[in-house]
Amino acid sequence: MKFFRKVILGIGVLILNLMSVAQSQAQTTSNAAAVAMTFAVASSLTVTATPGSIVFTRTNSRNATASAAIAVVTSWNLAVGGGNVFTVAYFATIAAALTDGTLNIPSSDVFASINGGTAAACTLANVNVAAATPGAICPQIFGGIGVTAQGSHSDSILLSLTSPTDFPVTSYAGTITISAQAT
C-alpha cells in the first residue's frame, strides 16, 4: 500500500508541476504591433511597336513597299472601365513624312493598311492625341469604345509609298510616331 501511495503522490506532484508550467506559459502575452500598409497603382496607357525600323523598296518608279508590317500593341490599366482608347500613327509635318533634307515625300504619298484592310493615305487631321499635335495622321489604328478597365489590343500597320510622279533618286529618312489616348 505504501508503494501505491508513493506512486499516487508522485503522479500528483507531476500533474501539479505540469499545470504550473502550462499556466505560466499561457499567461505570457506580448504587445500588439501594428503595421500600416499602402499600395497605389497608377493608371497607365502604353504603346509598343516592332520592328524599330523599316526600309522601303521600290516596286516601280512611283511605288514602294515597306520591308515589314509594324506590330502595334496598345495596353491599358485605367481607373475605371467604360472609357475609350484610341491609337494613331502620325508624322510631324504634312510636307515631309520622309526627306533627304531638300527633297520631301509628303504624308499624302504614305499609305497605311491597318490589319490587312485597304490602304489609305496619311492625310487625316484634327485628331486629338495627348502625346503631340500631329501634322498628318494615318488611318486610326485602334478605336476601343467602352473598353474594360484593363486590357490590350494588337494591330498591324503595313506602310507603302505611292507618288503621282517618279521618286527623285536620293536617300530619304523619316519617323512615324504611334501614340494612344484614353478618354
Side-chain angles (χ1 to χ4, degrees):
M1 189 72 131
K2 284 185 183 185
F3 172 74
F4 287 117
R5 221 189 279 189
K6 285 184 181 182
V7 170
I8 291 173
L9 184 60
I11 292 173
V13 170
L14 180 62
I15 291 172
L16 286 175
N17 285 338
L18 288 174
M19 286 176 49
S20 170
V21 169
Q23 287 176 355
S24 68
Q25 288 176 348
Q27 293 176 1
T28 305
T29 305
S30 73
N31 64 314
V35 177
M37 299 183 297
T38 60
F39 177 58
V41 177
S43 290
S44 64
L45 178 61
T46 59
V47 173
T48 58
T50 53
S53 65
I54 57 173
V55 175
F56 287 97
T57 303
R58 281 177 38 162
T59 54
N60 61 43
S61 63
R62 295 182 181 187
N63 297 288
T65 57
S67 56
I70 302 168
V72 177
V73 177
T74 306
S75 301
W76 60 91
N77 187 6
L78 306 173
V80 295
N84 306 317
V85 174
F86 301 99
T87 306
V88 296
Y90 58 89
F91 299 100
T93 66
I94 294 170
L98 293 112
T99 186
D100 74 347
T102 304
L103 299 173
N104 299 323
I105 297 175
S107 64
S108 58
D109 288 356
V110 180
F111 287 74
S113 170
I114 310 300
N115 298 323
T118 302
C122 296
T123 56
L124 303 174
N126 298 324
V127 174
N128 182 14
V129 177
T133 304
I137 300 171
C138 295
Q140 182 173 284
I141 299 167
F142 173 63
I145 308 296
V147 299
T148 59
Q150 294 86 26
S152 67
H153 193 271
S154 298
D155 295 285
S156 174
I157 308 169
L158 182 60
L159 298 176
S160 59
L161 303 176
T162 299
S163 175
T165 61
D166 291 350
F167 290 114
V169 176
T170 190
S171 292
Y172 299 95
T175 300
I176 189 166
T177 302
I178 302 169
S179 180
Q181 180 180 26
T183 58

